[in-house]
Amino acid sequence: MNWLREYAIKKWLDDGSEIAKLESFFDDFEIKSILEQVDKNRIKRYIWLFWWIISLYFLFWSLFFWEVVTINWVTREANFFDTVMTSSVFLIPIGLIYSAIVIFIFRKKIEWTIKEKILTKLSKKVYDNLQYDSWRKYAFWEIRELRSSNFLNWYERIDKIEDSIAFTLNKDWKYASVQWYEIQTSEVRWSWKNRRRVVTNHCYLLKTRLPSARINIKNDIFIKDDRSDTVWNKMITPIIVSIFIAMISWTITKIFAIAVVSFILGFVIVYILYHKFNWRNRIILENLEFEKLFDVHGNDQVESRMIITTAFMDRLVKLANKTKRKYNFLFRDNVFYVKWNISSWYLEVNTWKKISSNIETFVNWYIEMKEIISFLQD
């Protein structure tokens, strides 16, 4: 499987033994049989679905057509075109809704089969005692506490929790429990035009409970990805507030010079206050490469520097550069949390294409899990 080797190398997996392990896994007779069987079922079900929908349309249309023609024959007003149009108005929406429901159920069933039969086996290749569940079996329920610490954004409801994982990490005969899962939340936002539901969190959450003897943190340490905090993002709030102040000055005085001065003074004052607020409890570290990617916030400067060592900063930089993801980290007591945002579907199976084409999705998952576990072991 040369394409798999090339793809793995392109996806920053440079360990030859790991690539060989992946090739061996997907070349295994049992795995190939599962993929082929699911693919055959997929094709059969789509063919069956196509003919079922066509038959249903034909049956409904025939019954409706017969009823309309019968009524029109009695009233002597038979009109073939009107009959077709009338039946289409009712049947097309019904058929589309029915088709969408059936396809959704069908896709979910295939996705569940693939995840349960492939990922549960592949998870053992990632780490010996790693347990995978396509649902929420291994999820931890500390979401509200994480929201209160600004680790998670505000939300009103939890839309989904799935793809949960759990295992015990052994490092120098000290055991750490690890759990993680995909979560999506949302809230209702109102505008003068309409009411809409907006996704507020779509991320993978990881929790590592470290051995108490190894680490005991008294104050929260929050490591936040800083790459989205561009110059424009830093200035947009002061600019908006300054424009508002200038508009009030112009309304009161009608003097352009005073409005301009109000804008400048307002911008300077708001900029200073805004960044003073954002930089509260900010911890400046000596690693310039790390500072370009992350901001560190904590109440105890000494404790934070003891935890976030030079080696730890180098490892975070390496992880962020290698995976190209944006991570947030939180130390609380003897627990270490990791969050990385997901911008689109994650670990979803595409049933419109040949099932074997989803191998790339599984390879991506495998590589990312290995990288995260390697990071935790370090």
Side-chain angles (χ1 to χ4, degrees):
M1 302 178 74
N2 290 331
W3 69 268
L4 194 152
R5 177 175 292 271
E6 292 173 0
Y7 182 78
I9 293 173
K10 186 175 74 174
K11 287 292 182 177
W12 34 263
L13 183 64
D14 49 11
D15 189 334
S17 62
E18 292 294 342
I19 296 175
K21 193 186 292 185
L22 277 172
E23 288 180 322
S24 173
F25 177 82
F26 286 108
D27 204 36
D28 182 75
F29 176 77
E30 182 183 1
I31 299 301
K32 288 173 107 175
S33 299
I34 292 172
L35 292 173
E36 288 173 2
Q37 186 60 43
V38 171
D39 207 42
K40 287 179 182 178
N41 291 337
R42 177 186 70 91
I43 294 171
K44 286 180 182 177
R45 284 178 179 272
Y46 273 132
I47 292 174
W48 172 86
L49 179 64
F50 173 78
W51 285 113
W52 174 253
I53 291 173
I54 294 296
S55 302
L56 195 67
Y57 266 110
F58 180 77
L59 176 63
F60 283 176
W61 190 85
S62 299
L63 293 174
F64 196 84
F65 176 79
W66 177 256
E67 183 178 357
V68 173
V69 167
T70 303
I71 293 172
N72 287 339
W73 183 78
V74 173
T75 59
R76 309 296 184 185
E77 296 177 359
N79 188 317
F80 180 78
F81 179 75
D82 287 346
T83 302
V84 172
M85 292 301 294
T86 305
S87 61
S88 299
V89 167
F90 286 97
L91 294 181
I92 289 178
I94 293 173
L96 290 175
I97 293 170
Y98 169 79
S99 304
I101 293 172
V102 172
I103 290 173
F104 175 79
I105 296 171
F106 167 60
R107 290 184 71 249
K108 281 297 178 184
K109 186 174 181 180
I110 288 185
E111 183 178 301
W112 181 85
T113 303
I114 288 291
K115 286 184 175 183
E116 288 298 314
K117 293 187 176 181
I118 300 295
L119 289 182
T120 49
K121 296 180 184 295
L122 185 59
S123 63
K124 300 299 181 183
K125 301 290 183 181
V126 176
Y127 199 71
D128 291 339
N129 63 358
L130 192 148
Q131 303 291 323
Y132 169 81
D133 180 66
S134 60
W135 200 231
R136 56 179 68 185
K137 181 178 180 181
Y138 303 113
F140 55 89
W141 300 96
E142 300 166 14
I143 303 170
R144 291 189 181 277
E145 291 81 357
L146 293 176
R147 188 187 71 185
S148 64
S149 64
N150 294 323
F151 192 68
L152 283 177
N153 296 325
W154 173 264
Y155 67 89
E156 291 179 347
R157 77 175 187 187
I158 298 173
D159 295 326
K160 71 173 180 179
I161 292 178
E162 57 186 34
D163 296 323
S164 60
I165 295 170
F167 66 95
T168 301
L169 186 67
N170 182 3
K171 177 67 174 175
D172 299 329
W173 299 100
K174 295 177 180 178
Y175 295 90
S177 63
V178 181
Q179 298 168 268
W180 67 54
Y181 59 92
E182 178 187 1
I183 179 172
Q184 181 173 309
T185 64
S186 62
E187 67 172 342
V188 174
R189 293 184 183 173
W190 296 85
S191 67
W192 65 278
K193 285 185 177 180
N194 56 13
R195 169 183 178 271
R196 59 197 178 99
R197 185 160 289 280
V198 178
V199 173
T200 51
N201 295 289
H202 186 198
C203 58
Y204 228 80
L205 283 179
L206 181 148
K207 170 189 174 182
T208 305
R209 185 169 293 280
L210 302 168
S212 299
R214 183 179 176 187
I215 186 170
N216 186 18
I217 300 172
K218 297 178 181 178
N219 298 283
D220 287 1
I221 303 173
F222 184 27
I223 306 173
K224 179 184 176 183
D225 186 280
D226 191 43
R227 280 172 288 183
S228 60
D229 200 9
T230 61
V231 174
W232 170 248
N233 288 337
K234 292 177 180 178
M235 295 180 66
I236 187 168
T237 299
I239 288 174
I240 292 173
V241 175
S242 301
I243 290 173
F244 182 70
I245 293 172
M247 290 173 63
I248 294 175
S249 299
W250 171 258
T251 303
I252 295 172
T253 64
K254 301 297 183 182
I255 301 175
F256 181 74
I258 293 178
V260 171
V261 171
S262 300
F263 175 83
I264 295 172
L265 289 175
F267 177 82
V268 171
I269 293 170
V270 173
Y271 184 87
I272 293 172
L273 293 175
Y274 179 75
H275 288 279
K276 187 175 181 180
F277 176 79
N278 283 338
W279 276 59
R280 71 194 189 284
N281 302 327
R282 176 84 156 81
I283 298 170
I284 307 297
L285 299 167
E286 292 72 24
N287 190 320
L288 296 178
E289 193 67 27
F290 177 84
E291 285 289 319
K292 289 179 182 178
L293 300 178
F294 300 101
D295 282 344
V296 180
H297 297 265
N299 292 324
D300 191 325
Q301 291 269 347
V302 176
E303 182 183 51
S304 299
R305 291 174 186 276
M306 288 175 62
I307 299 299
I308 306 174
T309 61
T310 302
F312 183 74
M313 287 188 281
D314 291 338
R315 194 64 183 83
L316 289 189
V317 171
K318 180 182 176 183
L319 176 69
N321 289 335
K322 200 169 185 180
T323 62
K324 308 300 181 186
R325 289 196 182 276
K326 294 182 178 181
Y327 296 94
N328 290 339
F329 307 89
L330 175 67
F331 285 98
R332 172 174 288 175
D333 298 326
N334 66 327
V335 179
F336 178 54
Y337 298 96
V338 184
K339 182 188 87 168
W340 63 93
N341 292 325
I342 303 170
S343 57
S344 58
W345 283 5
Y346 184 76
L347 214 57
E348 306 296 336
V349 177
N350 188 341
T351 59
W352 296 107
K353 298 192 296 184
K354 192 175 180 180
I355 294 300
S356 58
S357 64
N358 289 282
I359 289 179
E360 290 184 1
T361 302
F362 307 142
V363 171
N364 290 338
W365 179 81
Y366 176 88
I367 294 172
E368 188 152 39
M369 295 303 103
K370 291 293 288 190
E371 192 62 32
I372 292 292
I373 290 173
S374 174
F375 163 72
L376 293 175
Q377 287 176 322
D378 290 346

